[in-house]
Amino acid sequence: MAQKKAHEVDSWLARPATEAVIVLIYGPDRGLVSERATAFAAKTGLPLDDPFSVVKIDAADIERDSGRLVDEARTVPMFSPRRLIWVRNAAAQKSLADDVKALVAQPPRDAIILIEAQDLKKGAPLRTIVEGAFAGMALPCYGDEARDIEAVIDDELRAAGLTMAMDARNALRRSLGGDRLATRGEIQKLTLYAMGRGEISLDDVKDMTGDVSALSLDDAIDAALGGNIAEFDAAFTKQCQTSSQAAQLLATATRHLQNIHLMRGEMENGSRNAAAIIAAARPPVFFARRRAVERALSSWSAAALTRALTRLQSTTLQTRRRPDLAVALARQAMLGIAVEGARLAGGRR
């Protein structure tokens, strides 16, 4: 079978098999999918910024234009010995699966097909086709485990010429995982902050992860969900002085509520309590925020969270139409959520 287990992927990517000309990289960790796809693309030796050698296609375009992937794969390259056809955002598109099936039956001689996909369950047509192909390779990408996070930390510290105190490493590790690009970005932000000091301390980690008394976007969101209107207003005033900051708050709040909505669904459909669900959450909830998230998860019902998300999405659209009113619109939306949070915290649903 043309597939690797999760722990075998990195070693295969270090030395890709030459017969694998249809490579599917899939999984729930979108950051890791993207990072590994980029690593494989680099291994082809083709100039990734050359549109004649590297063709990037969104899977939705293939769905609208059946046969396009086959046509691209059969096109004879003019300026290089072969071409890389890089497909992104693949999921359950039928036309994409049909095109890949045709290419598996007659593998391209002058092209390499690289597909970035969402999490594909066993039996999904695209995954099944690639796994059963001699010319294919399917590579799963799941959330980083502890050893993976340690390896990423070590890589970035080595690149920056820094070391890290053990208590700082432990604190940082608890706030990482779930998405490889987000993990790497957080570590790079930290190494840049500590550049020139030699060793990263626990205080450095706290400064860069929000575990300080200073107000942050997360503080504003937590205060709103907890119904602490005065605390929210102070945090919002400190953090959102421009339209871009207001937009960032809305985006962060939307992601945060989406995660809580998923966890609340687990609570309502199972037997685990809020603390157990938060402890198993991926990406993990940073330890300094767990109490606030647990309170929100316990008081906000799925229906209430849906209403809040609808409010945020509507407000985001309004701020794009009227960026001059972004701060006022964001404040109004979040104040509405804070009022709802206060009501729910009082035991009324």
Side-chain angles (χ1 to χ4, degrees):
M1 298 293 286
Q3 59 179 306
K4 294 293 180 183
K5 296 185 182 300
H7 68 274
E8 300 173 326
V9 174
D10 285 328
S11 59
W12 187 89
L13 286 171
R15 298 183 65 183
T18 56
E19 64 269 15
V21 295
I22 304 172
V23 176
L24 169 66
I25 304 180
Y26 70 93
D29 188 337
R30 302 300 301 279
L32 185 54
V33 169
S34 177
E35 183 173 289
R36 284 174 166 169
T38 301
F40 176 79
K43 282 288 185 178
T44 64
L46 295 170
L48 302 186
D49 58 349
D50 180 2
F52 294 102
S53 300
V54 179
V55 179
K56 297 178 181 179
I57 312 173
D58 192 279
D61 294 332
I62 296 175
E63 188 67 12
R64 288 190 293 266
D65 186 7
S66 180
R68 180 178 175 185
L69 181 60
V70 173
D71 291 340
E72 292 285 358
R74 303 288 187 225
T75 299
V76 177
M78 297 178 61
F79 304 104
S80 60
R82 56 184 177 175
R83 302 162 80 225
L84 172 65
I85 315 300
W86 193 339
V87 181
R88 288 173 166 159
N89 301 315
Q93 295 92 349
K94 183 178 184 302
S95 293
L96 174 60
D98 290 343
D99 280 9
V100 171
K101 186 175 182 179
L103 292 171
V104 162
Q106 189 177 352
R109 292 179 297 177
D110 302 319
I112 299 172
I113 312 299
L114 170 60
I115 305 171
E116 290 185 41
Q118 301 174 11
D119 191 18
L120 301 174
K121 303 301 182 184
K122 188 174 179 63
L126 179 60
R127 178 178 166 182
T128 300
I129 292 166
V130 176
E131 286 179 346
F134 173 78
M137 178 56 66
L139 306 173
C141 299
Y142 299 110
D144 285 325
E145 298 179 357
R147 65 176 181 272
D148 301 314
I149 293 174
E150 290 287 353
V152 177
I153 292 174
D154 288 338
D155 286 346
E156 295 300 331
L157 289 177
R158 191 179 306 112
L162 295 168
T163 60
M164 181 180 289
M166 185 54 66
D167 57 352
R169 180 183 283 263
N170 291 337
L172 176 64
R173 187 172 56 239
R174 285 193 291 267
S175 68
L176 300 174
D179 184 279
R180 172 65 66 85
L181 288 186
T183 292
R184 196 175 292 280
E186 285 299 309
I187 301 170
Q188 289 172 346
K189 181 175 68 176
L190 179 60
T191 57
L192 181 61
Y193 177 75
M195 190 63 66
R197 301 184 192 178
E199 182 179 77
I200 296 174
S201 68
L202 178 59
D203 286 340
D204 293 330
V205 174
K206 289 180 177 180
D207 287 345
M208 296 307 291
T209 55
D211 187 19
V212 289
S213 58
L215 297 171
S216 67
L217 293 180
D218 287 343
D219 293 323
I221 296 165
D222 289 339
L225 289 173
N228 301 314
I229 296 174
E231 185 178 328
F232 158 75
D233 195 53
F236 184 94
T237 301
K238 183 178 181 67
Q239 292 296 322
C240 297
Q241 303 296 319
T242 67
S243 60
S244 63
Q245 291 169 326
Q248 183 181 359
L249 172 68
L250 291 172
T252 303
T254 299
R255 289 194 298 270
H256 187 49
L257 264 68
Q258 286 171 338
N259 288 335
I260 293 179
H261 193 281
L262 289 172
M263 290 188 283
R264 179 70 194 197
E266 292 183 38
M267 276 184 61
E268 295 183 356
N269 295 328
S271 58
R272 290 189 299 170
N273 59 23
I277 289 174
I278 290 171
R282 292 295 180 272
V285 178
F286 185 54
F287 68 93
R289 301 188 65 212
R290 288 189 177 185
R291 184 170 297 177
V293 173
E294 183 176 344
R295 286 196 297 265
L297 187 55
S298 298
S299 61
W300 284 77
S301 66
L305 288 165
T306 298
R307 290 195 299 271
L309 282 167
T310 300
R311 180 193 295 267
L312 289 174
Q313 290 163 358
S314 175
T315 302
T316 298
L317 179 59
Q318 293 177 49
T319 60
R320 290 173 182 170
R321 291 172 175 168
R322 291 296 304 272
D324 56 314
L325 297 178
V327 174
L329 290 167
R331 181 192 292 274
Q332 183 181 33
M334 293 300 296
L335 274 174
I337 291 173
V339 170
E340 179 77 351
R343 186 178 71 82
L344 295 175
R348 299 182 297 277
R349 300 297 177 93

